[in-house]
């Protein structure tokens, strides 16, 4: 599976997520309204990555600890969004957690509760 397909499958597995282009890149929305992950295929530089919503402090911590894998993205970085490079070895388990956290930052409480219910199933 290529990188875009992997990102796509993680995002679309979450409740009421849709995908459509935004600024020429695949972007994932909660209830077709609010962006939580944006693909960045050499859009603003020569790197492949994604921009995603992140809980407070996460961007600063990850960028400081591991700048090979994480960065402050343009336009949304000042709001705490996290950039994740995809043209390096990616820890996909950690990436999946980051996608879920991005979703939780944007999704309404009803969808977060639905996600929690699904995760609690045996």
């Amino acid at each position: 599976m290529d990188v875009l397909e992997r990102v796509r499958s993680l995002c679309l597995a979450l409740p009421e997520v849709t995908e459509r282009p935004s600024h020429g890149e695949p972007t994932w929305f909660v209830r077709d309204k609010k962006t939580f992950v944006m693909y960045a295929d050499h859009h603003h530089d020569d790197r492949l990555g994604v921009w995603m919503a992140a809980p407070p402090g996460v961007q600063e911590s990850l960028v400081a600890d591991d700048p090979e894998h994480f960065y402050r993205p343009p336009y949304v970085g000042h709001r705490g969004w996290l950039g994740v490079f995809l043209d390096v070895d990616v820890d996909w388990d950690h990436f999946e957690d980051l996608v879920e956290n991005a979703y939780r930052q944007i999704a309404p409480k009803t969808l977060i509760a639905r996600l929690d219910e699904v995760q609690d199933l045996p």
Side-chain angles (χ1 to χ4, degrees):
M1 179 182 303
D2 77 359
V3 172
L4 175 57
E5 288 304 316
R6 196 155 190 182
V7 172
R8 179 176 282 133
S9 70
L10 291 171
C11 292
L12 292 176
L14 297 165
E16 296 191 39
V17 169
T18 56
E19 176 185 342
R20 71 175 183 273
S22 179
H23 300 90
E25 300 283 1
T27 304
W28 293 272
F29 298 82
V30 176
R31 289 193 169 154
D32 207 32
K33 294 179 187 171
K34 293 189 173 187
T35 303
F36 75 103
V37 175
M38 302 170 63
Y39 200 68
D41 188 358
H42 306 87
H43 190 75
H44 294 281
D45 55 25
D46 61 348
R47 302 292 306 266
L48 176 64
V50 295
W51 306 350
M52 60 177 64
V58 169
Q59 177 210 87
E60 295 83 2
S61 176
L62 289 176
V63 170
D65 292 347
D66 191 0
E68 179 183 336
H69 291 94
F70 304 102
Y71 63 100
R72 184 176 192 241
Y75 309 111
V76 293
H78 70 279
R79 294 190 340 228
W81 279 51
L82 176 66
V84 182
F85 289 121
L86 297 175
D87 54 4
V88 295
D89 285 335
V90 176
D91 177 343
W92 288 104
D93 290 333
H94 186 217
F95 186 85
E96 184 174 356
D97 290 341
L98 293 172
V99 168
E100 182 180 317
N101 286 334
Y103 178 85
R104 289 176 180 277
Q105 288 298 297
I106 302 301
K109 291 178 185 176
T110 54
L111 291 182
I112 293 170
R114 207 162 108 195
L115 178 62
D116 290 340
E117 288 173 12
V118 169
Q119 290 178 339
D120 288 341
L121 294 175

